[in-house]
Amino acid sequence: DASVIFPRQGLAAFGPIKFRNIDGTQGAGAVARKWQDWKADAVFIDDTGGWGASWIDNLRRLGREPIGVGFASRPNDPRYENKRTEIYFEAVEWIKAGGALPDCPELIAALSQTTYSFRGDRLLLEPKEQVKAKLGYSPDDADAFALTFAQPVTKAGAWGEAGSGGRRFCLTEYDPLELA
């Protein structure tokens, strides 16, 4: 399996950056560099099987605050069985809303060939191992892309103080493609 950094801003997703055989220190360094280059508002890391935990720990040592996401964890929306299902469906809604995908055949194949079913009244995505067997490779690009939908993101620096008394406010409307 590959380690993938997948940048997305607003309705534009950019080509993934793929690594093989890198450790947590190297992975965290690569993420920290891209975080700075892109002035990212948030970074989500797969914290499901242990590999991501090292990246998260090392990024925290570098003064960053990545957000770990467990694919089997509880979703925010009760329509979904787990977080993995929820973020994939969020990605689909983003595409339907006009989201632009990069030219990445592995991503397109994984997104178009992954199926879903129901567990009771909840949607459940096909297990990753089945997708991997179907494709002949791990859907790492799709997982990394879907991670960008793990939580809503507020533009960095959008929080401020309102007058005296320490009351905080948040700017919620901004153009994600606006040049800073």
Side-chain angles (χ1 to χ4, degrees):
D1 292 3
S3 297
V4 181
I5 299 173
F6 211 116
R8 182 181 69 84
Q9 183 179 31
L11 288 174
F14 304 93
I17 301 166
K18 301 177 193 184
F19 302 94
R20 292 211 178 266
N21 303 315
I22 63 171
D23 63 27
T25 303
Q26 294 166 321
V31 170
R33 283 188 297 278
K34 292 304 175 187
W35 199 330
Q36 182 176 335
D37 292 348
W38 297 327
K39 297 177 178 59
D41 295 321
V43 170
F44 300 104
I45 297 179
D46 180 1
D47 198 14
T48 303
W51 288 102
S54 177
W55 291 41
I56 292 168
D57 289 345
N58 282 295
L59 280 162
R60 287 183 177 148
R61 285 186 191 103
L62 294 172
R64 299 291 186 164
E65 285 300 323
I67 301 164
V69 179
F71 280 21
S73 65
R74 203 157 98 187
N76 295 335
D77 187 328
R79 294 178 297 166
Y80 304 108
E81 180 65 20
N82 56 36
K83 193 65 171 178
R84 180 172 171 261
T85 303
E86 180 179 52
I87 63 178
Y88 267 77
F89 273 86
E90 289 286 332
V92 168
E93 290 303 316
W94 176 86
I95 293 166
K96 288 179 181 179
L101 294 171
D103 183 18
C104 179
E106 296 89 356
L107 171 66
I108 304 304
L111 291 176
S112 62
Q113 294 183 42
T114 301
T115 61
Y116 67 91
S117 61
F118 289 89
R119 180 172 288 158
D121 63 345
R122 294 182 179 183
L123 289 161
L124 177 63
L125 211 59
E126 177 180 24
K128 183 174 180 173
E129 292 309 314
Q130 289 180 10
V131 176
K132 195 173 181 177
K134 189 187 309 183
L135 296 172
Y137 54 86
S138 181
D140 301 319
D141 295 325
D143 283 351
F145 169 66
L147 270 171
T148 69
F149 297 93
Q151 297 293 334
V153 175
T154 301
K155 181 177 173 72
W159 288 94
E161 299 294 327
S164 62
R167 298 180 70 192
R168 296 178 58 80
F169 66 93
C170 176
L171 302 176
T172 58
E173 294 190 24
Y174 70 98
D175 181 357
L177 300 177
E178 179 182 301
L179 297 175

